[in-house]
Amino acid sequence: METKRIKRFVITMMAAAMLLPLQVLADGNVKKGVIINNIDPPTEKAATPTASIATGTEVEKGTTVTLSCTTEDAIIYYTTDGTIPTEDNTARLTYSEPIAINADVTLNVMASAPLFADSEIATFSYTVKASSTLAGDVNGDGEVNGTDIVALVNRIMNGTEYNGNPDVNGDGSVNGTDIVALVNIIMGNN
């Protein structure tokens, strides 16, 4: 059945390109000179997209979510504003790379593919873990210890982001003086 539908679509498209009216008969043969006014819309839906992280998960800020669809040649569309990613929705985005989660968000996702009706809408909601407010907790794990020194050095040298506060001394910048302040906190010399 699927092969006939694809064959009918390909021949119809070729006929349209050549401006030749054709009809594909039930037995698969082609009849020339017949104008087809009624093409059946697709009834089979594209597969519903899936996400690499389960909906409802609390994630670290910056975590990326990968969307996928098992339907061949499917294009995935999504929104982040709670609306449905319909064709006429100006908030609709075309998925092309993993989506960074930097704030609480709900993704409404659908797939569209040639010869298929649009998929069902999938909804994936994520919340970002709260940043730590504990003085010296640079990596946001709720503790102040040597791993925070490593995190702070990584932040200063490489720009690595963490959920904690890297401005340990509160002077508005992140630099070597924050390492000294952090060591003092860990040693109990604050």
Side-chain angles (χ1 to χ4, degrees), residues 155-180:
R155 170 67 163 90
I156 293 168
M157 300 300 291
N158 306 321
T160 306
E161 292 289 335
Y162 295 94
N163 272 345
N165 181 7
D167 185 13
V168 179
N169 64 7
D171 67 357
S173 63
V174 179
N175 54 38
T177 61
D178 292 298
I179 295 174
V180 173

Side-chain angles (χ1 to χ4, degrees), residues 17-128:
M18 297 183 299
L19 301 174
L20 277 176
L22 299 175
Q23 180 181 18
V24 178
L25 303 175
D27 63 3
N29 291 317
V30 177
K31 185 176 179 183
K32 296 179 186 176
V34 177
I35 297 175
I36 302 171
N37 293 324
N38 186 12
I39 297 177
D40 295 333
T43 55
E44 185 178 355
K45 290 186 175 194
T48 303
T50 58
S52 60
I53 301 174
T55 187
T57 301
E58 185 178 50
V59 298
E60 298 289 338
K61 182 178 180 181
T63 298
T64 58
V65 176
T66 301
L67 303 176
S68 59
C69 180
T70 58
T71 302
E72 188 175 347
D73 297 326
I75 298 172
I76 298 175
Y77 298 103
Y78 68 100
T79 60
T80 59
D81 65 354
T83 61
I84 303 300
T86 56
E87 189 173 342
D88 60 342
N89 185 343
T90 58
R92 179 172 95 162
L93 303 167
T94 303
Y95 176 78
S96 60
E97 62 186 5
I99 301 165
I101 307 300
N102 293 311
D104 295 356
V105 68
T106 296
L107 303 173
N108 284 320
V109 183
M110 64 167 269
S112 182
L115 303 179
F116 289 89
D118 290 344
S119 73
E120 296 292 329
I121 304 298
T123 300
F124 306 104
S125 296
Y126 304 102
T127 54
V128 174

Side-chain angles (χ1 to χ4, degrees), residues 144 149 168 177-190:
V144 179
I149 294 173
V168 179
T177 61
D178 292 298
I179 295 174
V180 173
L182 180 56
V183 169
N184 284 328
I185 290 172
I186 293 171
M187 300 299 290
N189 299 331
N190 48 347

